Amino acid sequence: MPRASYEGVAVTVPVTVPYRRYSTHGAHWFIGQAMDALVERSGIAKDRIDGLTISSFSLSPDTAVGVTQHLGLSPRWLDHIPTGGASGVMALRRAARAVQAGDADIVACVAADANHVESFRQMLGGFSHFARDASYPYGSGGPNSIFAFITASYMRSYGATRADFGRIAVAQRANALKNPNALFKVPLTLEQYMSARPIAEPIHLFDCVMPCAGAEAFLVMSEERAKDLGLAHVLLRGAIERHNAYADDPVLLRGGWLVDRDDLYAQAGVRPAAIDFVQTYDDYPVVVMLQFEDLGFCEKGEGPAFVREKTLTHDGDFPNNTSGGQLSAGQAGCAGGFMGITETVRQLTGEAGDRAVPDAEVGLVSGFGMVTYDRCLCTGAVVLGKSS
């Protein structure tokens, strides 16, 4: 059965609650700050927001329905999407379908997580009992060891070097220096990247994101309503999601984007060459390289040559993670999966300031989340276009 298009769906009012390295505020507080900003910036009364998606790890044991009581909301459509780095694109895709079906008129998509001393370690310990029970007996815990394993396998398979991954991290730091919301404010050179202390070989310090607290949010509504409200917006041109792709692969070297990318580009009516910038999910540089390949910007195994040939800064020939991404802006839990969407809306509505991609018309955002003991399970991507 052919997939219905996403025509007529607008994404608007990108919100970032400034990141903090540590905070004693809980996830509810950050969600509340994001909702307050959505209402204030849109001019839409809170009681007119009749759809809500929430993504958060640290909200537990509460859920999205608890947020409605806490914030005085009464949506007729509700979704709780705890898929980590894939949650942003999935929240947008599902909210778009709700708007198209008439199940909601205006959907607030919000992601927020807290971070205080010890909270990140505790979250990792309870993230997945299945993964914990499989990996802890071998002395492995947390994502660093998992992605060290994946990175080493990729390097052996395709001849990538640490310097290839460093080019991604260095370019993103240059972008972050022009993002007022980024936590990292100091330039990073390739020499500094290469000489950084090891964490779990071959991963070193600047391959790892910095956990922090914060929130990201946006509104989804019909294009007609966005125009009536006078809101700067972008249009959803295509969306995909996939779970547990290539489960039989012994090591993660490809993701679900490869399964569905032709569908994504067919929906959007573009090919990879027509994409003006990309916002990849970037908890580790190897994941960025996988997305370059699996989304069709280069062939499998050509990622190392691709990053050697391309300039990945906002003013380069292949702009990637123009906000600095999580590697240089910080990873506020599930909000990291929303960062690419809020940044893309800013890029296509003239709100990106000094990091604007010149003459950008079309952007792609990809998501990757829910790490288990040897891989991530969730992938997704959306194509967003400038409104006429």
Side-chain angles (χ1 to χ4, degrees), residues 332-352:
C334 283
F338 276 56
M339 183 189 298
I341 294 176
T342 56
E343 174 66 10
T344 295
V345 176
R346 292 182 177 116
Q347 285 286 346
L348 296 178
T349 57
E351 297 181 34

Side-chain angles (χ1 to χ4, degrees), residues 63-79:
T63 62
V65 71
V67 170
T68 67
Q69 181 183 32
H70 187 192
L71 300 184
L73 300 166
S74 183
R76 59 192 178 107
W77 183 87
L78 180 70
D79 203 356

Side-chain angles (χ1 to χ4, degrees), residues 251-285:
V251 183
L252 173 71
L253 293 178
R254 55 182 177 165
W257 312 282
L258 188 58
V259 180
D260 300 300
R261 71 186 187 194
D262 290 343
D263 182 16
L264 175 68
Y265 294 128
Q267 292 173 50
V270 299
R271 298 303 301 162
I275 303 294
D276 294 309
F277 60 84
V278 180
Q279 314 288 357
T280 54
Y281 187 76
D282 65 315
D283 47 358
Y284 296 86

Side-chain angles (χ1 to χ4, degrees), residues 136-152:
Y136 277 27
Y138 297 95
S140 171
N144 287 333
S145 59
I146 296 168
F147 283 95
F149 175 69
I150 292 169
T151 301

Side-chain angles (χ1 to χ4, degrees), residues 106-362:
I106 300 172
V107 181
C109 298
V110 184
D113 269 302
N115 189 50
H116 56 83
V117 177
E118 283 291 286
S119 67
F120 187 70
R121 183 188 65 81
Q122 292 169 5
M123 182 189 76
L124 291 178
F127 191 75
S128 166
H129 289 181
F130 165 68
R132 182 192 63 193
D133 294 346
S135 58
Y136 277 27
Y138 297 95
S140 171
N144 287 333
S145 59
I146 296 168
F147 283 95
F149 175 69
I150 292 169
T151 301
S153 180
Y154 185 94
M155 294 171 76
R156 289 193 301 270
S157 298
Y158 302 121
T161 67
R162 284 196 58 236
D164 296 325
F165 299 125
R167 290 181 175 89
I168 295 170
V170 169
Q172 291 191 196
R173 179 63 61 87
N175 290 336
L177 296 178
K178 297 185 177 181
N179 177 8
N181 292 316
L183 287 181
F184 290 89
K185 306 295 186 184
V186 178
L188 175 66
T189 66
L190 187 58
E191 291 73 21
Q192 289 170 322
Y193 170 91
M194 294 295 293
S195 62
R197 63 184 174 89
I199 302 298
E201 288 289 358
I203 285 175
H204 288 228
L205 181 63
F206 296 115
D207 295 303
C208 307
V209 294
M210 178 182 284
C212 61
E216 302 278 343
F218 52 86
L219 295 178
V220 180
M221 62 188 70
S222 70
E223 179 184 11
E224 182 181 11
R225 186 172 295 276
K227 288 181 176 178
D228 288 344
L229 294 170
L231 297 174
H233 59 279
V234 301
L235 300 178
L236 178 58
R237 295 179 55 173
I240 55 172
E241 71 174 81
R242 174 73 55 171
H243 306 276
N244 198 31
Y246 304 115
D248 293 335
D249 287 2
V251 183
L252 173 71
L253 293 178
R254 55 182 177 165
W257 312 282
L258 188 58
V259 180
D260 300 300
R261 71 186 187 194
D262 290 343
D263 182 16
L264 175 68
Y265 294 128
Q267 292 173 50
V270 299
R271 298 303 301 162
I275 303 294
D276 294 309
F277 60 84
V278 180
Q279 314 288 357
T280 54
Y281 187 76
D282 65 315
D283 47 358
Y284 296 86
V286 68
V287 175
V288 175
M289 207 169 282
L290 292 180
Q291 288 163 90
F292 289 164
E293 296 171 345
D294 292 352
L295 288 165
F297 297 106
C298 60
E299 294 300 318
K300 178 56 66 181
E302 293 181 358
F306 185 79
V307 299
R308 294 168 198 162
E309 296 166 359
K310 299 294 184 180
T311 301
L312 306 178
T313 51
H314 70 91
D315 54 355
D317 58 351
F318 191 81
N320 174 63
N321 287 335
T322 53
S323 68
Q326 297 173 96
L327 286 171
S328 279
Q331 185 190 62
C334 283
F338 276 56
M339 183 189 298
I341 294 176
T342 56
E343 174 66 10
T344 295
V345 176
R346 292 182 177 116
Q347 285 286 346
L348 296 178
T349 57
E351 297 181 34
D354 291 342
R355 64 184 186 280
V357 176
D359 303 317
E361 299 282 339
V362 182

